[in-house]
């Protein structure tokens, strides 16, 4: 999956909506909006970093020698 491509944007939006709604609905604290937004943004950033690391070695033509 290409980073910041069409599929990445769609998955990021879905991840944001799910994390935001889970945290907003299930929280009774007075600052539930801020907590839900921070958690949802952190989830999307973590997803992007994970996809970046996954795609970094995808087209590697020189794998490490003696990889045991």
């Amino acid at each position: 999956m290409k980073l910041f491509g069409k599929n990445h944007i769609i998955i990021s939006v879905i991840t944001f909506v799910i994390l935001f709604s889970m945290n907003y609905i299930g929280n009774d604290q007075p600052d539930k909006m801020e907590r839900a937004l921070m958690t949802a943004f952190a989830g999307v950033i973590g997803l992007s970093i994970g996809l970046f690391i996954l795609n970094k070695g995808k087209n590697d033509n020189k794998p490490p020698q003696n990889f045991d």
Side-chain angles (χ1 to χ4, degrees), residues 28-67:
D28 293 333
Q29 302 293 326
D31 62 343
K32 66 181 182 178
M33 177 68 87
E34 291 85 4
R35 288 181 187 224
L37 285 172
M38 285 190 290
T39 303
F41 278 125
V44 171
I45 290 170
L47 175 74
S48 299
I49 291 171
L51 287 174
F52 175 73
I53 292 170
L54 183 68
N55 282 335
K56 187 176 179 182
K58 188 174 183 180
N59 296 324
D60 189 13
N61 293 330
K62 299 179 196 173
Q65 297 296 325
N66 300 326
F67 184 75

Side-chain angles (χ1 to χ4, degrees), residues 5-51:
K6 179 182 169 187
N7 290 339
H8 179 256
I9 300 296
I10 292 171
I11 291 174
S12 295
V13 169
I14 292 170
T15 302
F16 182 85
V17 169
I18 290 171
L19 287 174
F20 178 80
S21 61
M22 284 175 36
N23 283 294
Y24 188 77
I25 293 170
N27 194 353
D28 293 333
Q29 302 293 326
D31 62 343
K32 66 181 182 178
M33 177 68 87
E34 291 85 4
R35 288 181 187 224
L37 285 172
M38 285 190 290
T39 303
F41 278 125
V44 171
I45 290 170
L47 175 74
S48 299
I49 291 171
L51 287 174

